[in-house]
Amino acid sequence: MSKFSVKRPYTVLVAVIMVIVLGIVSFTRMSADLLPSINLPYVIVMTTYVGASPETVETVVTKPVESAMATISNIENISSVSNENYSIVIMEFEQSTNMDSASLEIRESLDQIKSYWDDSVGNPIIMKLNPDMLPIMVAAVGVEGMSDTEVSEYTEEKVVPRLESIEGVASASAVGLIEESVHVVIRQEKIDAINEQVFGSIDKDLDEAQQEINDGRADLADGEKEIADNLQKIAENEQDLIDAKKEIEDGKAEIADKEGELEEGKEDLEEKKKEATEKIAEGVKELNSKKRMLDETVKKVE
């Protein structure tokens, strides 16, 4: 190495300068990070099912998701949690797995089973575990001269909103806050006395309502009876009307018969009148003939 350095000093100088330049550039661009970006081989599939019990969530959502995820490549372990209204399926992959490709496979598998779900089942959410998702700062709050309750109100109303407004802060939450509450204990004898008054008033109202119902039922029965009587009268009147119509029809038929007999009598009368007229004409003719014969006889006698 020494002989090479002596024989080629410019080459060694250039190499040293390149190392120095790379070191300076690396030093200026290097940043310190307590939680470096690490891709953990874990994926969480969270699915909501509003209004469903844990048993229903497990049957409808969790088991189909587990069955679909079992075909994903490079998967090592699957665990799940079924709670009321939501399901969580946790998948562990091999360390060498490309998590982006695995996420695409998971999405394709979920698309195949979503069509069989009810409309109340939400779209599955795929989350890759990353240390950046974890909280990076925990702080305690204390204010001199304030009680624990006042500190809790100050933290919730002042500190948390200001922390959330800082650029780069995704969310801020407070734990261990103290909430004031009042525990009221009522003596049982007073409760019994109030209950007795309330129940007495309710019983009175119920009795009055029952009496009104009974009166209404009686009025309804009277109305039904009156309606039945009216219907019977209407039926009787209808029968009388039918009988009257029948008598009218019979009278019309009798009148028609009488009119027929009258017409027949008129025809007989006309025939008899005609016969009498003819007889009278014949008698007049015969009388005229006899008169002529008498006149002729008188003339002959003279």
Side-chain angles (χ1 to χ4, degrees), residues 60 64 111-119 121:
V60 177
D111 290 339
Q112 295 177 0
I113 63 174
K114 281 196 301 183
S115 59
Y116 299 100
W117 286 343
D118 190 75
D119 294 337
V121 179

Side-chain angles (χ1 to χ4, degrees), residues 1-12:
M1 188 66 179
S2 58
K3 293 180 179 180
F4 179 80
S5 300
V6 173
K7 291 181 179 181
R8 299 178 180 275
Y10 294 106
T11 303
V12 175

Side-chain angles (χ1 to χ4, degrees), residues 6-205:
V6 173
K7 291 181 179 181
R8 299 178 180 275
Y10 294 106
T11 303
V12 175
L13 180 61
V14 171
V16 172
I17 293 173
M18 289 179 64
V19 171
I20 294 172
V21 171
L22 290 174
I24 293 173
V25 172
S26 300
F27 180 77
T28 54
R29 295 187 178 184
M30 183 174 61
S31 60
D33 193 353
L34 295 177
L35 294 172
S37 180
I38 301 173
N39 288 327
L40 300 177
Y42 292 91
V43 175
I44 297 176
V45 177
M46 182 176 178
T47 309
T48 59
Y49 191 0
V50 179
S53 61
E55 294 81 5
T56 304
V57 171
E58 181 179 5
T59 303
V60 177
V61 179
T62 304
K63 288 185 177 180
V65 171
E66 289 180 345
S67 301
M69 297 302 104
T71 59
I72 304 299
S73 57
N74 298 325
I75 193 168
E76 288 189 349
N77 187 26
I78 299 177
S79 59
S80 63
V81 178
S82 299
N83 289 330
E84 187 175 359
N85 300 326
Y86 69 92
S87 165
I88 296 176
V89 179
I90 305 171
M91 290 165 285
E92 180 183 358
F93 293 86
E94 296 178 357
Q95 292 292 336
S96 59
T97 304
N98 187 340
M99 299 308 297
D100 294 333
S101 300
S103 299
L104 291 175
E105 290 185 26
I106 293 171
R107 176 61 62 185
E108 292 175 356
S109 299
L110 291 175
D111 290 339
Q112 295 177 0
I113 63 174
K114 281 196 301 183
S115 59
Y116 299 100
W117 286 343
D118 190 75
D119 294 337
S120 57
V121 179
N123 290 325
I125 300 173
I126 301 175
M127 295 182 294
K128 293 185 292 185
L129 291 184
N130 193 318
D132 294 337
M133 298 171 59
L134 303 176
I136 60 174
M137 182 178 179
V138 178
V141 179
V143 181
E144 186 177 355
M146 288 187 180
S147 63
D148 295 338
T149 305
E150 293 173 345
V151 171
S152 298
E153 294 179 357
Y154 179 80
T155 302
E156 188 173 5
E157 296 176 1
K158 301 292 184 181
V159 177
V160 173
R162 290 189 179 183
L163 291 177
E164 290 177 342
S165 63
I166 297 175
E167 183 179 359
V169 176
S171 64
S173 60
V175 294
L177 300 180
I178 298 176
E179 296 181 358
E180 291 184 338
S181 61
V182 178
H183 184 60
V184 179
V185 179
I186 302 176
R187 288 186 296 177
Q188 187 63 39
E189 53 269 17
K190 290 189 175 182
I191 296 175
D192 295 337
I194 294 174
N195 289 338
E196 186 175 356
Q197 295 178 359
V198 172
F199 291 153
S201 177
I202 293 174
D203 291 339
K204 183 179 179 182
D205 294 339

